[in-house]
Amino acid sequence: MAARIEPQALTRRFEEEAVEALLAGYQPLPGVHDELVDAEGHVRPHWSSLLAALSEMGVDEVNRRFQATDRHLYRSGVFYRVYDDPNGGERPWPISHLPLVIDATEWRALERGLIQRAQMMEAVLADLYGPANLMRSGALPAAAVAGSPDFLRPMVGVDPRGGSFLKVYAADIGRGPDGRWWVLSDRTQSPSGAGYALENRLAIARALPDLARSLNVMRLAGYFQAMRAGLTKLDRSGEGRVGLLTPGPLNETYFEHAYLARYLGFVLLEGDDLTVRDNVVYVRTVAGLKRVDVLLRRLDADYADPLELNPQSRLGVPGLMQAIRSGGVAVANAIGAGVAEAPALMGFLPRIGAHVLGEEPILPNIATWWCGQEAERERVLDEFDDLVIAPAFQRTLPGVLDEGPVIGADLDKARRAAVEAAIRTRGVDIVGQEAVRLSTMPVWRNGRLEPRPFILRIFVAAGENGWTVMPGGFCRVSDSQDARAVTMQGGGRSADVWVLDAAPVEPTTLLPSPGNVEIKRQTGPLPSRAADNFFWLGRYVERAEGTLRLLRTLAGRLSSTAEGGGASVAKLLDLLQAWGAAPDDVTRAKPVRHVLAAMSRRDLPGALPHLIEAARQTASVIRDRLSPDAWRTLADLALMLAEPVPAASAEPDAYERTDRALRSLAAFSGLASENMNRLAGWRFLDLGRRIERGIATCRFARTLGEAPTAGTLDVLLELCDSQITYRSRYVMVESRAPVLDLVLLDPVNPRSLAFQIDALVHHLDVLPGHLGDEPPPPEERLAARLAASMKAFDATEFDDERLHEVETQLMELSNDIAERYFIHRQPVDTPWDLMA
């Protein structure tokens, strides 16, 4: 009789066979440590559950889930910017779908080593900007510090508020062939990647939700909780206002800045948002100046203050250094902290660590030789082929290492001679470093696993109770087997990091405990720059809607009219060209070409691609204040319009496409109407929309209502979405007076000109800074005159001249609003001004 096989054993055997099938063809790179399998080819224990789950899903299901993750990231607007990219530089976030898995025992050792290294870096910075004992004793050459452009003399002798230079520290680490972790570089300037690490976690948790819970993956929220607590503790004003200082939307990691500001509850600020008065930093808001007591800096320190640091900076805040010295503001990390990132210091850190901490470093860093010393310089020249030759202080060394670090053996004869000469003549600017063979982790490629080199960045935050290490990190994975390509700018990818705990992980949240919640109905004053962008987002969205209505109406008329025929078609073409949505050189004999141009050309200021991209760019600046659904609506609209229009069915396809796009914009309007609190941000968004809609209505009425011909009044009703209302009131064909009354003067028609002006008057009356006992400002007086004109005339008196006057006044009102509430004081020029 055959031996009986237990069900559990049978299940294990099936799982093992499925894992073996998944590992088929997986070949670890020779001479490097592999995270997935050991030297005998066995799967490491902490990876087995993940592989078993993937095997159970099957290749098709895994591919489906990972593709859904990519779509989620794109539709959520997760991106990074590639500098010097001729295509605009903004690229979807490239995620490597498999997480890096680290077991609890190994993680505890890493945690201890990183906390120790953060303490060492803090001690080094305190000494460099304080007593300078390291340089006085000879433990650290003065040239290795003073040669760095990140050593900022205005900070010498300054005691940062809170007593520490570092609030956030990060280390890039890699594992060598022997299995040991090594510090590859330190990040003390303004470490980036924590926000992307959080987004990676959310994205992969959507793809593998049950697995993330069952494996006891440690949560990241505790790290951000400690980080936020450490920063808010620095607030002395009692207002609790913490700002995240960003270089702006052109920075490569701007998405992360906006994402973190929203997640942590901080105010996203640019340098132009801030001003210094009496050594105190204030943010310009629509309600006046409001104090900011703490700044989380994501701006390189040299650009922080054009008065005392880089005078060419347009990103910083004049007077910020004096405010720091006087204690008027806390900046994290401290200005000048970036000096500790210099590779020149890395060769001295092991000895310095033992000196300042009284113990040997737990985590070693890669061997580094600064060529500013004779013995080290000669060693680098002797071992040139085996070393990485790198700039000593910055990412590049112009004229020598223009593209950054290089491996000596990879240089041709001419470049080798040039670099060797530079080492001899300007060795202070160059280091030699050990070439590390990075370990590999599995990635999912074409339905199978492949090994790829990676670098792991782990973050440490100074909180109220000491240092807290993020139980995870920002893992960058090479797209090739070349370990030198592990950068996001160079085409690498990013992976989530799962640290497995032995016990179930308790939920962690950044929300306050129920007993300590202070009731609030305001989110704080709106920065002027944010108000500016809300206003223009409203204008761009409404302008896109007007263009879509024009195109849908034109496409509908072309489908039912002989090509090029009909007075209404001719007037619509006039509008489209005046709108800037179609080129003047397109023949009137082929009006469908106008439609195609307006739907596809990016070089026309009134065409849909240009308007939707302008809306997305404007929305990206206020990402921290927009709902994810609103952002996804704009992203979906851009994707829809990017689809090619078949030439054979241009008219019907264009009609269907514009109709779908209008529904998408209606969804955006609905989200703004139903989901946004009726605070200043919503009011400026609606102000922009009302001004734009009013201008468009005037333009439509001037073109189609003056001396109307057959069908033009019906077109006017269609463009103003008022056909149903007109038909329900008047059982008659279109007549000029009732049509103009409905689209211009009817106060209950949400598409009428009068309705837009009444809404403008109401918004201006309740905006912050409105003082009822003082004479009204210019924008309120102008809005009141417009409202009065709507009541003083009947529809037949609105001829071309009067409608043109109302258009002009609406554009003046836009300028007056900008002058009063926004940062930029010059008049705002718009394409509408060219259409008058």
Side-chain angles (χ1 to χ4, degrees):
M1 180 182 294
R4 182 173 181 270
I5 301 177
E6 293 294 332
Q8 295 88 345
L10 190 62
T11 300
R12 283 196 301 272
R13 190 174 73 184
F14 286 153
E15 288 180 353
E16 290 170 358
E17 291 175 352
V19 169
E20 288 177 5
L22 191 64
L23 286 173
Y26 186 82
Q27 295 292 332
L29 302 184
V32 302
H33 182 279
D34 189 84
E35 297 294 318
L36 178 61
V37 299
D38 59 24
E40 286 73 37
H42 299 138
V43 175
R44 300 184 190 276
H46 54 285
W47 281 89
S48 58
S49 295
L50 174 59
L51 289 191
L54 295 176
S55 302
E56 184 178 352
M57 291 179 199
V59 172
D60 291 341
E61 175 63 14
V62 172
N63 284 333
R64 187 194 67 79
R65 292 193 183 201
F66 289 165
Q67 289 167 4
T69 298
D70 293 337
R71 288 194 299 271
H72 163 74
L73 290 172
Y74 180 83
R75 294 179 67 242
S76 298
V78 185
F79 68 88
Y80 73 110
R81 188 172 294 279
V82 178
Y83 296 134
D84 301 323
D85 183 352
N87 296 321
E90 190 175 295
R91 295 184 183 177
W93 185 243
I95 191 167
S96 184
H97 303 95
L98 290 185
L100 172 65
V101 183
I102 302 175
D103 68 33
T105 302
E106 185 172 38
W107 175 252
R108 299 304 177 197
L110 277 174
E111 191 175 41
R112 290 193 301 272
L114 289 164
I115 290 175
Q116 183 199 55
R117 195 165 182 93
Q119 293 169 338
M120 177 180 67
M121 288 298 179
E122 175 62 39
V124 169
L125 286 167
D127 181 79
L128 294 183
Y129 288 106
N133 291 327
L134 292 173
M135 289 183 283
R136 295 177 190 276
S137 66
L140 186 60
V145 176
S148 172
D150 291 314
F151 180 70
L152 302 178
R153 298 183 185 279
M155 278 297 294
V156 172
V158 176
D159 184 22
R161 189 194 293 183
S164 64
F165 283 79
L166 296 179
K167 286 298 178 182
V168 180
Y169 164 77
D172 288 336
I173 64 175
R175 199 198 294 268
D178 60 356
R180 296 182 65 194
W181 291 99
W182 295 76
V183 176
L184 307 178
S185 60
D186 299 287
R187 297 292 178 224
T188 58
Q189 175 78 265
S190 53
S192 63
Y196 285 118
L198 181 59
E199 185 60 46
N200 286 345
R201 171 61 55 85
L202 296 176
I204 298 304
R206 288 171 62 95
L208 307 170
D210 296 334
L211 192 58
R213 287 191 292 268
S214 64
L215 291 182
N216 299 331
V217 177
M218 293 186 186
R219 299 175 182 267
L220 306 182
Y223 164 82
F224 291 103
Q225 197 174 53
M227 174 185 171
R228 186 174 67 178
L231 291 170
T232 55
K233 186 180 179 181
L234 299 175
D235 176 30
R236 293 178 179 174
S237 68
E239 298 182 24
R241 189 173 294 113
V242 180
L244 192 153
L245 181 59
T246 172
L250 295 182
N251 184 263
E252 62 177 332
T253 58
Y254 180 76
F255 165 82
E256 181 190 29
H257 304 169
Y259 186 79
L260 280 179
R262 185 186 188 99
Y263 183 67
L264 296 171
F266 296 165
V267 184
L268 185 65
L269 300 170
E270 295 181 29
D272 280 346
D273 293 329
L274 301 172
T275 184
V276 177
R277 308 286 174 88
D278 297 325
N279 298 328
V280 175
V281 178
Y282 295 91
V283 57
R284 297 181 175 96
T285 78
V286 296
L289 298 180
K290 301 296 179 181
R291 181 169 181 170
V292 177
D293 216 40
V294 183
L295 290 173
L296 175 60
R297 177 174 62 85
R298 295 303 300 269
L299 176 72
D300 283 355
D302 187 41
Y303 292 93
D305 185 348
L307 291 182
E308 296 195 47
L309 301 172
N310 187 342
Q312 297 180 335
S313 172
R314 299 287 299 273
L315 306 175
V317 186
L320 181 62
M321 280 303 308
Q322 182 57 35
I324 292 172
R325 281 193 294 266
S326 66
V329 66
V331 177
N333 286 339
I335 301 293
V339 67
E341 291 187 357
L345 297 187
M346 189 164 280
F348 303 96
L349 288 178
R351 185 173 55 190
I352 290 175
H355 176 75
V356 300
L357 298 178
E359 58 185 7
E360 294 297 321
I362 298 172
L363 276 179
N365 56 247
I366 57 171
T368 303
W369 298 273
W370 178 54
C371 296
Q373 296 174 300
E374 182 177 357
E376 283 73 10
R377 180 167 58 249
E378 293 304 318
R379 179 168 184 170
V380 169
L381 290 170
D382 290 342
E383 301 177 14
F384 190 90
D385 288 342
D386 299 326
L387 299 178
V388 174
I389 310 301
F393 301 111
Q394 293 189 308
R395 295 180 182 178
T396 63
L397 182 61
V400 181
L401 299 169
D402 294 301
E403 297 179 359
V406 296
I407 295 178
D410 290 348
L411 299 178
D412 59 30
K413 187 175 181 179
R415 283 205 64 198
R416 178 190 180 103
V419 173
E420 287 180 339
I423 291 175
R424 291 187 175 92
T425 57
R426 49 187 300 190
V428 69
D429 293 323
I430 299 173
V431 297
Q433 292 185 311
E434 178 185 6
V436 179
R437 295 177 62 84
L438 294 173
S439 65
T440 57
M441 65 172 285
V443 299
W444 187 263
R445 291 287 184 275
N446 301 318
R448 62 193 185 94
L449 299 176
E450 297 179 3
R452 290 291 185 270
F454 71 93
I455 292 175
L456 175 58
R457 178 173 295 179
I458 302 180
F459 301 87
V460 189
E464 293 181 292
N465 300 313
W467 295 93
T468 300
V469 181
M470 177 190 287
F474 178 52
C475 182
R476 289 162 293 165
V477 188
S478 175
D479 244 358
S480 69
Q481 294 183 355
D482 184 357
R484 291 167 292 181
V486 190
T487 66
M488 305 308 295
Q489 292 284 323
R493 293 181 172 269
S494 174
D496 191 14
V497 181
W498 287 7
V499 178
L500 308 185
D501 203 348
V505 178
E506 293 294 327
T508 308
T509 177
L510 265 66
L511 297 175
S513 58
N516 299 321
V517 179
E518 179 184 353
I519 301 299
K520 293 182 179 180
R521 293 181 177 173
Q522 298 285 334
T523 56
L526 183 70
S528 297
R529 178 184 52 83
D532 192 353
N533 283 285
F534 270 120
F535 181 78
W536 278 100
L537 176 60
R539 292 201 64 173
Y540 284 131
V541 167
E542 189 64 34
R543 193 175 301 175
E545 181 178 329
T547 304
L548 282 166
R549 290 187 181 279
L550 264 177
L551 292 174
R552 185 178 67 171
T553 303
L554 179 55
R557 293 303 185 276
L558 290 176
S559 298
S560 58
T561 312
E563 188 173 14
S568 60
V569 169
K571 289 183 178 292
L572 286 169
L573 290 174
D574 288 338
L575 274 170
L576 207 57
Q577 285 187 324
W579 209 268
D584 295 332
D585 58 350
V586 176
T587 173
R588 288 298 179 93
K590 297 287 186 181
V592 70
R593 294 181 182 176
H594 286 73
V595 178
L596 297 179
M599 293 181 66
S600 59
R601 288 183 53 172
R602 295 180 176 273
D603 59 323
L604 299 172
L608 287 173
H610 182 91
L611 294 176
I612 296 303
E613 182 59 24
R616 288 184 72 245
Q617 291 291 340
T618 305
S620 72
V621 182
I622 46 176
R623 281 291 301 272
D624 58 315
R625 296 176 182 273
L626 281 180
S627 72
D629 287 334
W631 175 264
R632 281 194 288 269
T633 299
L634 292 177
D636 290 345
L637 185 56
L639 283 175
M640 183 193 308
L641 294 173
E643 300 172 5
V645 179
S649 58
E651 290 95 341
D653 192 80
Y655 184 90
E656 189 274 337
R657 185 83 55 84
T658 53
D659 192 59
R660 281 195 295 137
L662 273 172
R663 291 198 296 271
S664 291
L665 280 182
F668 180 89
S669 302
L671 288 168
S673 175
E674 298 299 325
N675 293 358
M676 288 186 70
N677 293 322
R678 295 310 192 251
L679 301 175
W682 173 79
R683 295 197 181 279
F684 280 103
L685 178 72
D686 204 55
L687 277 170
R689 297 199 67 178
R690 300 299 175 184
I691 287 177
E692 197 71 31
R693 185 177 295 178
I695 293 173
T697 302
C698 288
R699 174 63 59 175
F700 295 155
R702 286 178 62 193
T703 304
L704 298 164
E706 186 72 17
T709 56
T712 56
L713 290 176
D714 183 62
V715 170
L716 177 58
L717 289 171
E718 183 175 350
L719 290 176
C720 295
D721 201 15
S722 300
Q723 286 175 307
I724 294 176
T725 303
Y726 186 87
R727 301 282 186 267
S728 65
R729 291 183 182 179
Y730 307 101
V731 186
M732 56 182 290
V733 296
E734 296 81 8
S735 179
R736 182 174 184 271
V739 168
L740 289 182
D741 181 78
L742 178 61
V743 301
L744 294 179
L745 301 179
D746 191 335
V748 298
N749 177 12
R751 289 281 168 180
S752 75
L753 178 62
F755 191 95
Q756 315 315 312
I757 292 173
D758 286 345
L760 292 171
V761 171
H762 175 69
H763 286 320
L764 293 173
D765 189 55
V766 298
L767 276 178
H770 174 80
L771 300 175
D773 57 347
E774 293 185 3
E779 69 276 5
E780 290 188 29
R781 293 198 299 270
L782 180 54
R785 288 199 299 271
L786 281 167
S789 70
M790 293 295 100
K791 299 175 181 178
F793 301 96
D794 63 35
T796 58
E797 294 178 280
F798 275 87
D799 55 13
D800 183 85
E801 181 180 355
R802 193 170 302 282
L803 285 170
H804 181 267
E805 181 182 354
V806 174
E807 279 185 66
T808 303
Q809 289 177 317
L810 286 171
M811 288 186 278
E812 290 175 1
L813 180 60
S814 176
N815 285 342
D816 288 344
I817 291 172
E819 181 69 24
R820 177 173 171 83
Y821 291 106
F822 306 153
I823 295 173
H824 307 290
R825 298 302 183 186
Q826 65 270 24
V828 180
D829 296 324
T830 76
W832 292 107
D833 301 315
L834 305 176
M835 294 166 46

